[in-house]
Amino acid sequence: MSESCCAVDVHTHVVPSSLPDPRADFGDIPWPSVTHTRPCHAEVIIRGKNYRSIEDGCWHVGRRVEQMTRMKVGVQVLSPMPELLSYWLAPEPARLLARHINETIADMVRAEPTRFHGLGMVPLQDISLAVNELEYLMRQLGLRGVEIATNINGVSLGDPSLDPFFAAAESLGATIFVHPLRPVGLDRLLGPASLEQVVAFPGETALCIASVITGGLLKRHPRLRLGFSHGGGSFAQVLSRLQHAWTLPTPMREAFEEPRATARRLFYDTLVYDHTTLKFLVDSFGLSQLMIGSDYPFAIMDTMPTERVAKLALSDAETAQLLYGNALRFLGLPSPDDRTARAP
Amino acid sequence: MSESCCAVDVHTHVVPSSLPDPRADFGDIPWPSVTHTRPCHAEVIIRGKNYRSIEDGCWHVGRRVEQMTRMKVGVQVLSPMPELLSYWLAPEPARLLARHINETIADMVRAEPTRFHGLGMVPLQDISLAVNELEYLMRQLGLRGVEIATNINGVSLGDPSLDPFFAAAESLGATIFVHPLRPVGLDRLLGPASLEQVVAFPGETALCIASVITGGLLKRHPRLRLGFSHGGGSFAQVLSRLQHAWTLPTPMREAFEEPRATARRLFYDTLVYDHTTLKFLVDSFGLSQLMIGSDYPFAIMDTMPTERVAKLALSDAETAQLLYGNALRFLGLPSPDDRTARAP
């Protein structure tokens, strides 16, 4: 069996095949619905518009497993399509939506427990509800943690107002996968609407990681396991500048811990689409912090996410780290190699 | 004579030792003034506050030449401290300020013509005044072109509304050095105020370069020579994602030319503070597009900007490209090597 059969893809999304519709109770809110347009295809409709056309890999366990095999991925980590995070809804409908999606993901994991791990979602517009839902999805549903956005209605993740949530995540051992959403800089884009995801997402993610570092989040919650999508966006290029500034006699030195050291305590997926950039991530963050990510099953996905790892020409042990070892650590799970090592 | 004696540093700033004060004519506007606080030191005051404490390298030709020698820099390209670009002033005071700064820079170049080239500034809040000032500063003052900001009061550089300026720049053969200013994402920063420059600048520059590519600026003005500060900010990491998206069957393919090919027609300075990131720039943009940049004489400057080039272990010819050949091409000047090559 080749190493790639064990690859753990931490960046894959789910859209349920149907969503409840509580709008009779809550009025005209931007609640998403899923409309099936033809076999194996659907549209996510929000406020009467097609937000995204999707394929059945979004919800169909059999289709996912078939495509994973083709992609040489052994295990997928399931997380909601980020737009579903819905921090802009009132807390109560947001909680309902989160619960439905969390149960959907838990059902998918139960259907193929050796092929899937699940990350759910929590209504972070209400920290207390978010903490309750986090406890529920981990203890009752057996999910590994949650996907959250790079900002909560404009609040950076390093902001102390979110600390009660991160305290709960730390204490529950929750895995936190961070994905860009509602990025800054939209008014600077020129061209097709999808430049939001393509051009604005990397900078959004970079600002988020910077806020984690300069806001001291890991100092307050040192055992948090935070992973960032898309290779941390464009953060690695911000890091060299931030690290340099931190070495100067400025207030930064007192305000937060060494940026490079903190950056090397965070996890990042490998979804950067070329060898040069992947190599840059390895050199910037270290081999121990990178995990396979594909963005399955969306149009922009990397269809062969393990291929670029092979081109890095690493040792077998290092390759295993990138393909699954780091991901299992991020998920709070033992590595199969650890088990082997512990055998008599 | 070592190669580094010929190094051309394209990223150095000027603040005049004094500024006229037209506020009697224009009322309470955010006009900058320079207050000398002690020998060799001054403060730039804007709206009654100290915007930045500066040293005499900002205006003093002798001090600059002395420090250049220590930095192994043969030639500096002078450009205004970016905050002076003042796109937020009404056109007429903005034109006055630009004229004073352009004449200051021209005077400095005249004082040491073998050590300095000059880039001025234009009031881009009024395109017609900007074109007039560009003609003046190039034809009358002998400057090589201008520094402009990554956005003009929020308008991206690729926006067609700026085309008359870029048409004039193309036709005059003006060099255009682009520097971040008023970046997006300020409300996401947590920590000292200087994170604006350290953390928000790279993403701002990345959005600007993306707008040049996706807005088709070089398609409309193919002979423009555009150079970007701080290694293009975090654009190289956006590029791999943009390039991937462009290869997919989406509207992007029709909307703009190949991102990687366009990115390799732009220039970038080397101000990225570490070997890993500089190597990433070389691999992303090509050796032919990089030029030394130091941010002299500000606190965040790279005091030995040529040192990292040596560590790239390039051939002599490649090193010469990075140290001065590319910069001279950016400035529209012949390379000394070209002259040698043309000699009988």
Side-chain angles (χ1 to χ4, degrees), chain A:
Chain A
M1 192 169 83
S2 85
E3 291 286 9
S4 62
C5 297
C6 313
V8 177
D9 179 352
V10 300
H11 187 165
T12 83
H13 295 299
V14 164
V15 182
S17 67
S18 70
L19 288 166
D21 188 346
R23 279 175 289 188
D25 296 332
F26 294 108
D28 182 28
I29 56 174
W31 182 273
S33 63
V34 177
T35 304
H36 290 259
T37 47
R38 55 191 168 100
C40 309
H41 290 76
E43 290 180 355
V44 180
I45 307 290
I46 303 175
R47 283 210 188 280
K49 285 190 181 157
N50 178 14
Y51 168 75
R52 186 171 291 174
S53 299
I54 55 175
E55 300 191 7
D56 59 354
C58 282
W59 63 83
H60 192 291
V61 164
R63 176 78 72 237
R64 281 186 100 100
V65 169
E66 176 193 314
Q67 292 176 326
M68 287 161 66
T69 303
R70 218 176 303 151
M71 292 168 71
K72 299 189 178 170
V73 164
V75 173
Q76 278 187 348
V77 179
L78 310 179
S79 62
M81 178 174 78
E83 187 71 16
L84 297 173
L85 294 175
S86 302
Y87 300 134
W88 36 89
L89 292 177
E92 189 49 30
R95 196 192 64 78
L96 277 180
L97 184 59
R99 179 60 60 93
H100 181 81
I101 287 167
N102 293 336
E103 289 183 334
T104 300
I105 290 176
D107 286 345
M108 293 172 77
V109 174
R110 268 192 293 270
E112 287 282 359
T114 63
R115 308 302 300 272
F116 296 137
H117 294 293
L119 298 176
M121 60 180 268
V122 291
L124 275 164
Q125 55 270 70
D126 182 316
I127 299 284
S128 163
L129 286 185
V131 169
N132 288 346
E133 188 64 22
L134 182 66
E135 286 172 354
Y136 179 82
L137 68 86
M138 292 196 65
R139 291 181 175 155
Q140 305 301 317
L141 299 180
L143 301 184
R144 304 296 321 162
V146 285
E147 172 188 81
I148 68 176
T150 42
N151 72 89
I152 314 302
N153 297 320
V155 173
S156 294
L157 294 194
D159 193 288
S161 65
L162 297 168
D163 271 8
F165 166 73
F166 287 117
E170 186 181 34
S171 123
L172 289 161
T175 293
I176 298 180
F177 181 61
V178 184
H179 196 289
L181 187 63
R182 299 288 191 272
V184 300
L186 290 183
D187 57 344
R188 299 291 176 79
L189 304 179
L190 298 174
S194 54
L195 290 175
E196 173 174 349
Q197 283 83 33
V198 174
V199 165
F201 270 11
E204 167 69 23
T205 305
L207 287 172
C208 173
I209 299 171
S211 88
V212 165
I213 293 174
T214 68
L217 182 59
L218 287 193
K219 195 167 179 188
R220 297 192 297 278
H221 305 290
R223 288 173 298 124
L224 271 184
R225 298 194 310 274
L226 290 171
F228 292 84
S229 64
H230 312 102
S234 54
F235 179 70
Q237 279 192 283
V238 175
L239 178 58
S240 58
R241 187 167 168 82
L242 182 57
Q243 175 72 19
H244 170 75
W246 185 83
T247 63
L248 302 175
T250 72
M252 290 192 199
R253 191 74 181 225
E254 301 301 313
F256 47 88
E257 297 178 310
E258 191 195 359
R260 192 170 299 283
T262 308
R264 285 172 173 254
R265 293 168 60 196
L266 305 171
F267 293 88
Y268 310 86
D269 75 22
T270 56
L271 186 55
V272 294
Y273 302 106
D274 74 17
H275 172 76
T276 295
T277 310
L278 180 56
K279 185 73 174 55
F280 179 53
L281 293 190
V282 171
D283 293 341
S284 299
F285 300 137
L287 269 176
S288 60
Q289 305 310 113
L290 303 180
M291 322 176 282
I292 301 297
S294 73
D295 227 344
Y296 176 92
F298 296 139
I300 200 171
M301 71 182 281
D302 187 347
T303 53
M304 286 304 277
T306 66
E307 250 176 20
R308 257 178 289 280
V309 173
K311 284 194 201 136
L312 290 173
L314 305 171
S315 71
D316 285 354
E318 290 168 331
T319 301
Q321 270 190 290
L322 249 72
L323 290 180
Y324 59 85
N326 300 333
L328 294 173
R329 217 167 82 245
F330 173 58
L331 292 165
L333 293 168
S335 165
D337 307 330
D338 295 346
R339 282 194 294 264
T340 311
R342 277 200 302 271

Side-chain angles (χ1 to χ4, degrees), chain B residues 298-327:
Chain B
F298 296 139
I300 200 171
M301 71 181 281
D302 186 349
T303 53
M304 286 305 276
T306 65
E307 249 176 21
R308 258 177 289 280
V309 173
K311 283 194 200 135
L312 289 173
L314 304 171
S315 71
D316 286 355
E318 289 168 331
T319 301
Q321 270 190 290
L322 250 71
L323 291 180
Y324 59 85
N326 300 334

Side-chain angles (χ1 to χ4, degrees), chain A residues 299, chain B residues 244-253:
Chain B
H244 170 75
W246 186 84
T247 63
L248 303 175
T250 72
M252 289 191 200
R253 190 73 181 225

Side-chain angles (χ1 to χ4, degrees), chain B residues 5-327:
Chain B
C5 298
C6 312
V8 177
D9 179 351
V10 300
H11 186 165
T12 83
H13 296 298
V14 164
V15 181
S17 66
S18 70
L19 288 167
D21 189 347
R23 279 175 289 189
D25 296 332
F26 295 107
D28 182 27
I29 56 174
W31 183 273
S33 63
V34 177
T35 305
H36 291 259
T37 47
R38 55 193 166 100
C40 309
H41 290 76
E43 291 180 357
V44 180
I45 307 290
I46 304 175
R47 284 210 186 281
K49 284 191 181 156
N50 178 14
Y51 168 75
R52 186 172 290 174
S53 298
I54 55 175
E55 300 191 7
D56 59 353
C58 282
W59 62 83
H60 191 289
V61 164
R63 176 76 72 239
R64 281 185 101 100
V65 169
E66 174 194 316
Q67 291 175 327
M68 287 162 66
T69 302
R70 218 176 304 150
M71 291 168 71
K72 299 191 179 169
V73 164
V75 173
Q76 278 187 347
V77 180
L78 311 179
S79 61
M81 178 173 78
E83 188 71 16
L84 297 173
L85 294 175
S86 302
Y87 299 134
W88 37 88
L89 292 178
E92 190 48 30
R95 195 192 64 78
L96 276 181
L97 184 59
R99 179 61 58 95
H100 181 82
I101 287 168
N102 292 336
E103 289 183 334
T104 300
I105 290 176
D107 286 345
M108 292 172 77
V109 175
R110 268 192 294 270
E112 287 284 358
T114 64
R115 308 301 300 272
F116 296 138
H117 294 294
L119 298 176
M121 60 179 268
V122 291
L124 274 164
Q125 55 270 69
D126 182 315
I127 299 285
S128 163
L129 286 184
V131 169
N132 288 347
E133 188 64 21
L134 182 66
E135 287 173 353
Y136 179 83
L137 69 87
M138 292 195 66
R139 291 182 175 156
Q140 306 300 318
L141 298 180
L143 302 184
R144 304 296 320 162
V146 286
E147 172 187 78
I148 67 176
T150 42
N151 73 88
I152 314 302
N153 296 320
V155 173
S156 293
L157 293 194
D159 193 288
S161 65
L162 297 168
D163 271 9
F165 166 73
F166 286 117
E170 186 181 33
S171 123
L172 289 161
T175 293
I176 298 180
F177 181 61
V178 184
H179 197 289
L181 188 63
R182 300 289 191 271
V184 301
L186 290 183
D187 56 345
R188 299 292 177 79
L189 303 179
L190 297 174
S194 54
L195 290 175
E196 172 174 349
Q197 284 83 32
V198 174
V199 164
F201 271 11
E204 167 68 23
T205 305
L207 287 171
C208 174
I209 300 172
S211 89
V212 165
I213 293 174
T214 68
L217 182 60
L218 287 193
K219 196 170 178 184
R220 298 192 296 279
H221 305 291
R223 288 173 297 126
L224 271 183
R225 297 193 310 273
L226 290 171
F228 293 85
S229 64
H230 313 101
S234 55
F235 179 71
Q237 280 192 282
V238 175
L239 178 58
S240 59
R241 186 167 168 82
L242 182 57
Q243 176 72 18
H244 170 75
W246 186 84
T247 63
L248 303 175
T250 72
M252 289 191 200
R253 190 73 181 225
E254 300 301 312
F256 47 87
E257 296 178 311
E258 191 196 358
R260 191 170 300 283
T262 308
R264 285 172 173 252
R265 293 168 60 196
L266 305 171
F267 293 88
Y268 310 86
D269 75 22
T270 56
L271 186 55
V272 293
Y273 302 107
D274 75 17
H275 172 76
T276 296
T277 310
L278 181 56
K279 185 73 174 56
F280 179 54
L281 293 190
V282 171
D283 293 341
S284 299
F285 300 138
L287 269 176
S288 61
Q289 305 310 113
L290 302 180
M291 321 176 284
I292 300 298
S294 72
D295 226 344
Y296 177 92
F298 296 139
I300 200 171
M301 71 181 281
D302 186 349
T303 53
M304 286 305 276
T306 65
E307 249 176 21
R308 258 177 289 280
V309 173
K311 283 194 200 135
L312 289 173
L314 304 171
S315 71
D316 286 355
E318 289 168 331
T319 301
Q321 270 190 290
L322 250 71
L323 291 180
Y324 59 85
N326 300 334

